[in-house]
Amino acid sequence: MKEKLGAVNALYPTPTTLVGAMVSGKPNFITVAHIGIMTYTQISLGMGKIHYTNAGIKENKTFSVCLPSEDLVVETDYCGIMTGKKTDKAVLFNVFYGELKTAPMIQQCRVCMECRLDRIIDFPTHDVFIGEIVQTFADESVLSDKNIDVSKLKPLLFDMNSRKYWSLGGEIAQCWDIGKQLKTEKP
């Protein structure tokens, strides 16, 4: 029998990201796990309106989304518990810029996406930023046949229910293939 839990978001875990933006002319990073895929080239970030980084995204209309690996758990958590209003979190990283010039990215993150702001969806407590990916940068060490290999990236996962970071498990099956087994069976 299933238990009713109320309006619990059960979509966790999600990849943990470090979102970069220029705020008052300086690079700033914030930890964000409320992310989404909108289309192949558009992503979303759900960020509380109180966050310092929001102003930089709104001002410059750009941001980055960097994927920290498990080895950056301390720095990633720090960027989530400290505010850029009082702390220069960029000093933790080697910062680089791409085509947009106002979307700071982190060299230590093996994958970074440089994004242009498309629109903002205004919720009472959160801004949902929709961005178009302009360029993706990936270390050769995480590529297999010019594709990002998550087993090499070892992304840091976030679970709101347990309030813990998690690692990725192993491969289970090939997408758009394993289900073909049911085509030959008659229900």
Side-chain angles (χ1 to χ4, degrees), residues 16-88:
T16 306
T17 68
L18 288 164
V19 172
M22 295 297 286
V23 185
S24 300
K26 294 198 254 180
N28 184 64
F29 296 97
I30 183 173
T31 306
V32 177
H34 296 161
I35 57 168
I37 299 168
M38 306 304 290
T39 68
Y40 289 118
T41 59
Q42 291 184 304
I43 58 177
S44 66
L45 309 171
M47 296 172 56
K49 289 182 181 285
I50 63 166
H51 293 300
Y52 181 69
T53 308
N54 295 29
I57 295 173
K58 290 175 181 178
E59 177 187 339
N60 297 296
K61 305 208 177 333
T62 60
F63 60 90
S64 69
V65 177
C66 302
L67 302 176
S69 296
E70 297 167 6
D71 61 335
L72 288 176
V73 66
V74 173
E75 295 86 344
T76 301
D77 194 59
Y78 180 82
C79 287
I81 61 177
M82 300 303 291
T83 176
K85 291 176 189 167
K86 299 176 182 176
T87 306
D88 182 0

Side-chain angles (χ1 to χ4, degrees), residues 120-177:
I120 302 169
I121 301 172
D122 185 23
F123 282 90
T125 59
H126 284 70
D127 291 321
V128 176
F129 297 103
I130 309 292
E132 177 186 5
I133 301 166
V134 172
Q135 189 60 258
T136 299
F137 299 86
D139 287 0
E140 290 178 4
S141 65
V142 299
L143 299 179
S144 293
D145 298 322
K146 297 212 180 232
N147 291 307
I148 298 166
D149 183 332
V150 294
S151 68
K152 292 178 179 179
L153 176 61
K154 297 184 179 183
L156 185 61
L157 305 178
F158 170 79
D159 175 44
M160 178 66 89
N161 297 307
S162 68
R163 308 286 200 276
K164 294 181 182 177
Y165 295 106
W166 294 84
S167 61
L168 189 65
E171 177 185 321
I172 296 173
Q174 185 68 39
C175 297
W176 302 292
D177 184 59

